[in-house]
DNA sequence: CGGCCTAAACAGC
DNA sequence: GCTGTTTAGGCCG
């Protein structure tokens, strides 16, 4: 209650409560309050605060009732659902991503109702709900977070994912009766709860695709992890893909995912490819993310913009069971193919663009991330930051300078932005976004397209360009196909040969990772969350 | 019936 | 123990 104390007396409790409105001491890195439109409504009049009323667990209903009564709130904390709250929390983060613990913290700090429920005792229930919502909704995606060693980052699925749940790709299993599936799932898990009775029916769908990673039930063991990395629970192909990471198409996005996909993704894979393949593609996706075609480009960019560094974040696990961490750059599958095809394409325009900061936003950057730190400190990571994937060239360049960029445009808040996962969907504020987006566009086009991922770029501006590019690069498709076929091979191949090959690559990132680089750093001022 | 909330079992780390 | 995933049940519109 101590905290609550503050809250209690204070205005915090406003009925509508707005989360982020005041992070109290501003501990949190999120200075800007942006309520998504969703919050809307809140209009509730003042009315009592839920404060005392609903304190216990299980009051959900009570809360609702209250809400109804009061007229305004649906839940004890207001009208927003957990999913909405989580979304706000994530959006409020400078980097648009938070770990579970940070989300909890945000709740406690921003939502009056949870203020006094931060401790372990009282928190169990709602935290469980938070976790549940994160897992359940496709609008949230989990990004592996190596750096911290902590839990994964949770981000908003650029695609939107709406609030809808996530159809996790298993259509087959649940079709009939979800129950069966469920049962089965449970049973399969390990300990049969109570009832078992499972599969009498033909729920065998699962059996048919035993290996299908996507299938929920099957996932218990190996492959399934793929999803972990990025798990957009959206529908199988398209959405998933697009959701993944690259943000490219904003506008289209609006229209429909589906539409988008086709364009970018081509039909490729999604439709034709068997599930398995598809998934693999996804993997690739991941790769793409990272890969920026850009080894070269990025380099330059880095120079100009500042550093970009990629976080470590994605590790893809493929069916094979291997886990590849791209973290930083590592390999870029794309490179391989891209080198030939892409490279040239991007080079011309992009490079220039890159070079010239002022004008068109640099495009490739996308994958990289801007380091917040730099801006602030300026020195720290220069060299390592660069990491880049491709490396070699990049390295040399990077190391040299670090202009610290200037990312004026890129990030409004220096503090925060630390690292974004490579392609992640960055949903930034409009202004920033624009710049960033643009960056991505090209790249994504390249990579993404080639791979076929659809990337969801958020930015609108970018779209046009990329598209154009896309068309140009049809050939890449071919490449893609190749990938598809050899995905695994490529990976290994790449990794072994390509990557290893260039010692130059050195994945410096490690240092980075380990370093405090991530956000926390940024938060220098206040990193509360840091863990423990 | 679908959306939400809550609870809980379970798996990994 | 925390994090994640999944299943289940209940309430409400």
């Amino acid at each position: 209650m101590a905290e609550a104390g503050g809250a209690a007396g204070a205005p915090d409790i406003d009925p509508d409560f707005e989360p982020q409105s005041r992070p109290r001491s501003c501990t949190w890195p999120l200075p800007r309050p942006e309520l998504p439109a969703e919050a809307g409504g809140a209009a509730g009049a003042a009315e009592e605060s839920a404060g005392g009323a609903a304190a216990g667990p299980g009051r959900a209903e009570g809360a609702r009732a209250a809400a109804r009564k009061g007229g305004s709130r649906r839940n004890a904390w207001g009208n927003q659902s957990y999913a909405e709250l989580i979304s706000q929390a994530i959006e409020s983060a400078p980097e648009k991503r938070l770990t579970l613990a940070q989300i909890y913290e945000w709740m406690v700090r921003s939502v009056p109702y949870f203020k006094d429920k931060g401790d372990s005792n009282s928190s169990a229930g709602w935290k469980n709900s938070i976790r549940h919502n994160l897992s359940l909704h496709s609008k949230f995606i989990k990004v592996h977070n190596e750096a911290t060693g902590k839990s994964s980052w949770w981000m908003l699925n650029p695609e939107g994912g709406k609030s809808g749940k996530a159809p996790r790709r298993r259509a087959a299993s649940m079709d009939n009766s979800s129950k069966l599936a469920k049962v089965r799932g449970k049973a399969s898990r390990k300990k049969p709860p109570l009832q078992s009775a499972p599969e009498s029916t033909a729920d065998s769908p699962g059996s048919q695709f035993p290996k299908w990673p996507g299938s929920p039930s099957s996932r218990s063991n190996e492959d399934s992890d793929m999803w972990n990395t990025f798990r957009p629970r959206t529908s199988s192909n398209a959405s998933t893909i697009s959701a993944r990471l690259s943000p490219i198409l904003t506008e289209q996005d609006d229209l429909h995912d589906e539409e988008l996909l086709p364009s970018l993704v081509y039909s490729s894979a999604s439709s034709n490819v068997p599930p398995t393949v598809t998934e693999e593609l996804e993997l690739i996706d991941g790769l793409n993310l990272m890969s920026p075609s850009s080894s070269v480009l990025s380099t330059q960019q880095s120079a100009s913009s500042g550093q970009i560094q990629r976080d470590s974040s994605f590790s893809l696990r493929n069916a094979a069971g291997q886990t590849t961490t791209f973290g930083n750059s590592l390999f870029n599958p794309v490179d391989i193919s891209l080198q030939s095809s892409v490279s040239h394409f991007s080079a011309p325009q992009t490079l220039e663009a890159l070079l010239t900061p002022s004008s068109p936003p640099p495009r490739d950057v996308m994958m990289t991330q801007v380091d917040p730190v730099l801006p602030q400190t300026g020195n720290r990571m220069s060299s390592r930051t660069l990491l880049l994937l491709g490396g070699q060239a990049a390295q040399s360049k990077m190391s040299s300078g670090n202009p610290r960029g200037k990312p004026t445009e890129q990030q409004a808040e220096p503090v925060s932005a630390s690292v974004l996962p490579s392609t992640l969907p960055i949903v930034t504020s409009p202004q920033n976004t624009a710049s960033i987006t643009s960056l991505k566009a090209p790249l994504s086009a390249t990579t993404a397209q080639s791979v076929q991922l659809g990337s969801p770029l958020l930015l609108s501006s970018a779209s046009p360009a990329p598209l154009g590019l896309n068309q140009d690069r049809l050939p890449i498709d071919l490449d893609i196909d190749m990938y598809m076929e050899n995905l695994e091979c490529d990976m290994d191949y790449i990794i072994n040969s390509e990557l290893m090959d260039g010692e130059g690559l050195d994945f410096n990132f490690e240092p980075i990772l380990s370093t405090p680089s991530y956000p926390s750093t940024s938060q220098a001022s206040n990193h509360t969350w840091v863990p423990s």
Side-chain angles (χ1 to χ4, degrees):
Chain A
M1 304 255 196
E3 288 182 358
D12 288 2
I13 303 193
D14 40 358
D16 300 345
F17 95 94
E18 288 185 8
Q20 55 229 37
S21 50
R22 68 190 272 254
R24 232 174 174 201
S25 328
C26 72
T27 348
W28 198 254
L30 34 87
R32 54 199 299 74
E34 34 204 314
L35 286 181
E38 307 175 349
E47 82 183 295
E48 82 308 328
S49 51
R59 67 204 124 1
E61 298 169 7
R64 283 186 192 171
R68 274 200 263 23
K69 259 186 190 173
S72 26
R73 26 184 110 184
R74 230 169 26 178
N75 296 307
W77 56 87
N79 287 323
Q80 291 167 302
S81 63
Y82 277 117
E84 289 168 335
L85 290 174
I86 295 168
S87 296
Q88 286 180 27
I90 294 171
E91 285 179 9
S92 68
E95 299 188 359
K96 310 298 182 202
R97 65 179 186 188
L98 292 175
T99 59
L100 179 63
Q102 290 167 11
I103 292 171
Y104 291 156
E105 209 168 303
W106 183 90
M107 293 282 180
V108 171
R109 173 169 299 153
S110 307
V111 181
Y113 175 77
F114 297 109
K115 272 216 171 109
D116 54 351
K117 298 181 178 55
D119 44 42
S120 55
N121 291 338
S122 40
S123 59
W126 65 268
K127 286 183 177 176
N128 188 6
S129 291
I130 296 291
R131 293 192 302 273
H132 166 77
N133 275 268
L134 288 169
S135 293
L136 189 66
H137 298 286
S138 60
K139 74 200 272 188
F140 303 118
I141 57 176
K142 188 178 74 177
V143 177
H144 181 241
N145 172 355
E146 290 180 357
T148 56
K150 271 181 37 175
S151 57
S152 307
W153 291 116
W154 284 99
M155 303 179 74
L156 291 176
N157 181 342
E159 216 171 75
K162 294 181 174 182
S163 38
K165 294 203 173 158
R168 291 158 185 206
R169 53 187 44 204
R170 67 350 168 131
S173 36
M174 292 252 253
D175 280 313
N176 300 339
S177 50
S178 49
K179 274 197 174 177
L180 284 179
K182 291 178 181 179
V183 173
R184 180 156 94 43
K186 235 179 192 179
S188 65
R189 268 183 186 229
K190 261 185 183 177
K191 304 180 173 181
L194 290 176
Q195 8 177 283
S196 31
E199 51 281 309
S200 46
T201 55
D203 58 349
S204 29
S207 55
Q208 289 186 346
F209 306 144
K211 232 171 157 211
W212 185 14
S215 67
S217 21
S218 61
R219 96 197 283 226
S220 46
N221 304 336
E222 343 179 5
D223 341 8
S224 38
D225 288 350
M226 293 179 45
W227 294 103
N228 290 343
T229 326
F230 296 152
R231 176 192 48 119
R233 317 168 183 71
T234 52
S235 50
S236 37
N237 343 340
S239 1
T240 305
I241 295 169
S242 55
R244 272 186 193 302
L245 315 178
S246 30
I248 275 187
L249 326 170
T250 342
E251 295 178 355
Q252 294 182 350
D253 227 2
D254 291 346
L255 299 179
H256 287 304
D257 296 352
E258 295 178 354
E259 290 185 354
L260 299 181
L261 296 178
S263 51
L264 292 178
V265 175
Y266 295 99
S267 44
S268 59
S270 339
S271 42
N272 300 342
V273 184
T276 322
V277 175
T278 310
E279 290 181 355
E280 290 187 353
L281 291 179
E282 290 184 353
L283 291 181
I284 293 174
D285 221 7
L287 295 181
N288 288 342
L289 299 181
M290 322 231 66
S291 54
S293 43
S294 43
S295 4
V296 178
L297 297 178
S298 52
T299 315
Q300 297 178 345
Q301 241 194 344
S302 52
S304 59
S305 63
Q307 332 204 317
I308 309 176
Q309 95 185 45
R310 16 183 85 240
D311 185 136
S312 38
S313 6
F314 301 137
S315 44
L316 302 180
R317 296 174 179 171
N318 36 355
Q322 303 176 344
T323 316
T324 318
T325 308
F326 299 142
N328 323 273
S329 58
L330 334 202
F331 70 124
N332 349 322
V334 174
D335 260 3
I336 305 171
S337 59
L338 290 182
Q339 287 184 347
S340 51
S341 53
V342 171
S343 54
H344 63 288
F345 100 164
S346 52
Q349 291 182 341
T350 313
L351 293 179
E352 284 187 353
L354 296 178
L355 295 179
T356 8
S358 55
S359 35
R363 314 171 159 221
D364 312 340
V365 179
M366 68 168 305
M367 22 223 55
T368 43
Q369 308 172 344
V370 180
D371 232 10
V373 176
L374 291 178
Q376 282 185 339
T377 8
N379 35 357
R380 67 260 230 84
M381 342 201 47
S382 46
S383 52
R384 44 190 179 64
T385 321
L386 312 182
L387 12 188
L388 319 188
L389 352 166
Q392 312 117 345
Q395 254 191 342
S396 52
K397 289 182 178 181
M398 303 190 74
S399 50
S400 54
N402 88 54
R404 54 181 314 26
K406 69 103 13 14
T408 44
E409 300 176 348
Q410 299 185 337
Q411 296 190 316
E413 302 176 356
V415 175
S416 44
S418 32
V419 183
L420 299 179
S422 44
T423 349
L424 293 179
I426 308 174
V427 179
T428 48
S429 47
Q431 337 158 345
N432 297 343
T433 316
S435 56
I436 294 170
T437 314
S438 54
L439 296 179
K440 298 177 176 185
L443 154 141
S444 50
T446 347
T447 353
Q449 288 185 344
S450 54
V451 176
Q452 103 178 29
L453 322 173
S455 31
L457 277 186
L458 300 179
L459 321 191
S460 48
S461 55
S463 327
L467 292 178
L469 294 177
N470 293 340
Q471 294 177 348
D472 287 352
R473 48 176 122 36
L474 292 179
I476 290 175
D477 253 7
L478 297 181
D479 286 352
I480 294 169
D481 287 351
M482 296 184 56
Y483 280 94
M484 297 180 57
E485 292 178 356
N486 309 336
L487 293 178
E488 290 181 356
C489 298
D490 286 352
M491 307 262 304
D492 291 350
Y493 174 95
I494 293 167
I495 296 170
N496 294 336
S497 347
E498 300 278 338
L499 296 182
M500 307 288 270
D501 207 357
E503 290 179 352
L505 293 180
D506 349 322
F507 310 128
N508 302 333
F509 53 151
E510 275 197 6
I512 293 173
L513 295 179
S514 42
T515 351
S517 49
Y518 79 103
S520 54
T521 50
S522 40
Q523 271 77 351
S525 28
N526 26 321
H527 36 23
T528 338
W529 39 305
V530 182
S532 65

